Amino acid sequence: MIRVEVTDITTLNVDAIVNAANSLLLGGGGVDGAIHRAAGPGLLAECRTIDGCPTGEARITRGYELPAPYVIHTVGPIWQGGDRGESRLLESCYLSCLKLCPAYHIKSIAFPAISCGIYGYPKAEAVAIATRAVSTAYKKCGLEEVIFCCFDEEMAGLYIQAL
Ligand code: AR6
């Protein structure tokens, strides 16, 4: 089942929440900052043991003080006008996160709107990519529940329309 929720992703009781990180994986603003604050210093300590993450890929850590036992960190593309491979990279973020799930027995996952904040991706286009990638792949990856977690009603409306 795919659902849309308007809430702070750090509060969700799912097996994994996804972090819209940058390639250093050492924290930042937006949802990345919120996740590091809520997870506590253990998360940053584990991230320091990982050698970053290229755009379009994903890395998994434990969730520390979060209700979610795992955080999957992915690095979305910075919007540069659309002809720098942004759509393929954004799709790859969603698919890379889903592909990590079977090995960790993750059955429920929540995604933020990757690249839709500081990285400036046009929202409706990003939502079309996210919903298409997730709908086609989540069951194959053993997932039972996927939440598109939004910070505001405008974003939630775009997901509901696309789904
Ligand atoms: N829960 C759910 N969604 C949130 C939350 C939250 N707590 N906080 C923000 N959002 P952004 P990006 C929404 O900027 O565009 C960081 O500095 C927000 O409204 O967090 O991928 C990283 O370190 C927006 O819709 O991520 C990178 O440097 C969406 O999450 C860079 O920002 C994503 O916004 C990544 O930029």
Side-chain angles (χ1 to χ4, degrees):
M1 190 182 54
I2 301 179
R3 294 195 291 120
V4 180
E5 275 201 34
V6 181
T7 189
D8 176 347
I9 200 166
T10 64
T11 66
L12 289 175
N13 274 295
V14 286
D15 295 334
I17 63 170
V18 173
N19 182 16
N22 59 64
S23 56
L24 297 176
L25 295 190
L26 298 175
V31 72
D32 193 5
I35 289 172
H36 274 274
R37 273 194 300 280
L43 180 60
L44 183 59
E46 184 173 353
C47 284
R48 285 192 197 284
T49 70
I50 304 171
D51 191 19
C53 178
T55 303
E57 294 189 18
R59 301 288 185 268
I60 190 165
T61 65
R62 304 209 64 98
Y64 299 90
E65 291 166 44
L66 291 165
Y70 292 106
V71 178
I72 299 178
H73 308 261
T74 190
V75 182
I78 298 171
W79 179 256
Q80 295 178 81
D83 55 6
R84 302 282 182 86
E86 291 95 327
S87 61
R88 188 186 55 76
L89 289 165
L90 186 61
E91 176 187 47
S92 172
C93 287
Y94 286 93
L95 297 178
S96 300
C97 290
L98 294 176
K99 279 183 195 150
L100 284 170
C101 292
Y104 295 87
H105 309 290
I106 291 165
K107 302 282 178 206
S108 57
I109 189 169
F111 284 98
I114 300 162
S115 288
C116 288
I118 294 163
Y119 280 0
Y121 210 106
K123 290 174 185 167
E125 290 174 37
V127 164
I129 290 164
T131 52
R132 182 160 19 86
V134 167
S135 313
T136 54
Y138 81 102
K139 284 185 185 156
K140 277 181 267 184
C141 297
L143 282 148
E144 290 161 6
E145 184 182 32
V146 180
I147 299 172
F148 286 116
C149 179
C150 306
F151 228 26
D152 57 63
E153 296 287 349
E154 182 208 347
M155 202 72 212
L158 293 175
Y159 278 107
I160 290 164
Q161 234 180 343
L163 289 165

